[in-house]
Amino acid sequence: MTLINLAFKSIINRKASVLLTLFTIAISVMLLLSIERVRQEAKQSFSSTISGTDLIVGARTGDIQLLLSSVFRIGHANNGLSWQSYEYIKAQKGVAWTIPISLGDSHKGFSVLGSDENYFEHYRYGSKQTLSFEHGRPYHNAQEVVLGSEVAKQLHYHLGQEIVVAHGMGNTSFHHHDDNPLVIVGILKPTGTPVDKTLHVPLKAIEQMHGPKHTGTHIIGRKSHNDAHDHDHDHDHDHDHDHDHDHHSHNYEALNSQPGDLVGKPKQITAFLMGFDSPLYTLQVRRNINTYQPEALSAIMPGVTLRELWGMLDIVEKILMLFSGVVVLISLLGMLTTLLSSLNQRRRELAILRSVGARPHHIFALMTSEAVLITALGCMVGLALFYSLILIGKGVLQAQFGISITLSMLSSYELLLLGVIMVSGTFIGAIPAVRAYFYSLNDGMSIKV
Amino acid sequence: MSLSINAAPPKEIFWDDLIPEGHEQISNQDAASHDGDDKNWVQPDLDAPVVKALDGKNVSLPGFVVPLEGNSEVITEFLLVPYFGACIHVPPPPPNQIVHVKIKNGVPIDSLYDAITVTGTIKVESHKSELAQTGYTMKAVGVAPFEL
């Protein structure tokens, strides 16, 4: 105990260099832990996004691109597939369900997904979990929209509110479909997947936004001139409450809408998801879609393509891991340098300790416990930095990449990493300790320089 | 993973054992043409018969993995096929040459290029669809790298 006390006081005595060493270790620990955490959480959130889907079909493109654009909303599909092809493939034997997906529109930076009622019935995430509603219900007609939890939270939307969806991706769009407001009828529970950041509308609503009456009529700065869109209001749907939609009182009025056509007559969709009666069909249907003559299509199995993606990212992961490992090594070597260089200055101190009765092994223990103390404090400060970094970076990661990082306890793997750092710190500390061990009493007592 | 659930050691079977004796299996390579022919929207040799005697047997079968379900670490559901690439650029095998495997806690499978041996209870299952297709499913208890 005295030794640790002594080690601590000795450190205090040389605080400048020790503090710098400590921070080097702390930063390297933070770096290592953050890289590992982001890597694992990213993989986790990717693989939990889609489940229970046998095939994803889109226009011919790379497997990974189709997966990224259709499910993760990363990048864009270059082309769509025709509705006829969709109808044809859907009608084949063995197909249990299909979910058409139409992407490409946005609302305040959140993507808009056009689909039909199958989306809420058959879409699965995590380990075959269905989407469930925090509030409200699925859409029943083309004037309704269902929000992902993150959309509702960030934009402070509530049931019954009317919103306008814009054409094209991005935060702002000059081409607003402001003549076609949609009523919020449902808000989904958080899923930790891109669904949270998506507005779900019926295919028909997408079609209406892109209808012939609208294309080219909206020019920057010019106000919408077509207020009377009779074809938009062919349902017996009461829109008289448009002007006071901030009051919650009428929400339920809007929610009691008449079921209407969800699909309309789309020409194209971006992609569709398929499920089969038995997964045994998957391989053959996939081949048939890939060799489908009327249109160039691609069908991918999400499980296989995800593994391909991991394979591609594997090398990047390894390089990141290597770099953070090297940073830790450098910080530990930095500690070794500091300890060794201070050793010469401390010969007098050590000799005095010997003269008052310390044995060589006491000196050894003193030096080692110094190194252990520095490493341990470095790890602790590093941990604190790591958690504050996560706290700060969480929102950005979620918003930019859809990766949800949890402020969870350290995993066993992360504890192992810390353990490895502690052990290597101790070993490195032993090097100057061994040298000090062999210094004799008179070495420090006799004045040389 | 312990295999001591069944007293008897699992019977080693191979893909030929999944085809009933005397059945002329259509060659995979001929069965599916390279054109998207309407006729083979589902598997070639769709009514390829299965060996009913295998039902409920504890077996081990080597093959390649086509992952279906899982998380970032493990695969919990996959198709076991007799040759690599069944899901990519060659025509798929007929239904009696695919086994739909479920494994409760999942297995980590690093490379889809490596063959594995799956041990478990094989079942002959018919699906209720109008195609009246039958196939094999397996509740696996263990997966090991395949060694010759």
Side-chain angles (χ1 to χ4, degrees), chain A residues 361-375:
Chain A
H361 71 260
H362 286 133
I363 301 292
F364 179 83
L366 175 73
M367 296 296 289
T368 323
S369 50
E370 261 187 56
V372 172
L373 260 175
I374 294 175
T375 322

Side-chain angles (χ1 to χ4, degrees), chain B residues 93-113:
Chain B
N96 64 2
Q97 295 285 284
I98 302 174
V99 181
H100 178 203
V101 183
K102 286 184 186 176
I103 183 156
K104 206 172 171 208
N105 294 317
V107 281
I109 288 173
D110 295 329
S111 168
L112 303 180
Y113 298 88

Side-chain angles (χ1 to χ4, degrees), chain A residues 51-52 88 280-281 286 288, chain B residues 38 40-41 43 69 87 92 133:
Chain A
S51 174
Y88 176 74
L280 295 178
Y281 295 126
R286 173 173 183 191
N288 285 327
Chain B
D38 276 1
N40 49 18
W41 263 94
Q43 266 92 341
E69 286 291 326
C87 57
Q133 186 188 344

Side-chain angles (χ1 to χ4, degrees), chain B residues 117-140:
Chain B
T117 304
V118 185
T119 310
T121 313
I122 198 164
K123 274 210 154 66
V124 174
E125 207 155 273
S126 43
H127 298 285
K128 270 180 237 135
S129 75
E130 52 184 303
L131 300 159
Q133 186 188 344
T134 53
Y136 296 104
T137 60
M138 196 197 253
K139 284 246 180 302

Side-chain angles (χ1 to χ4, degrees), chain A residues 37-69:
Chain A
R37 181 62 70 92
V38 170
R39 187 178 72 89
Q40 281 173 349
E41 299 271 342
K43 225 171 166 178
Q44 190 58 47
S45 77
F46 261 89
S47 55
S48 67
T49 296
I50 189 153
S51 174
T53 298
D54 289 319
L55 283 180
I56 302 173
V57 185
R60 178 133 329 144
T61 176
D63 286 6
I64 291 174
Q65 199 195 346
L66 179 57
L67 182 76
L68 290 180
S69 63

Side-chain angles (χ1 to χ4, degrees), chain A residues 139-193:
Chain A
Y139 40 65
H140 283 167
N141 62 45
Q143 276 74 43
E144 298 180 340
V145 56
V146 170
L147 306 183
S149 65
E150 196 66 26
V151 181
K153 206 171 114 195
Q154 283 193 17
L155 302 177
H156 306 290
Y157 284 166
H158 52 79
L159 288 190
Q161 201 170 338
E162 292 196 350
I163 56 170
V164 168
V165 166
H167 179 53
M169 297 296 264
N171 275 322
T172 50
S173 170
F174 296 118
H175 186 154
H176 279 295
H177 303 274
D178 52 359
D179 39 348
N180 191 21
L182 299 168
V183 186
I184 299 169
V185 294
I187 293 167
L188 294 169
K189 282 197 176 137
T191 61
T193 72

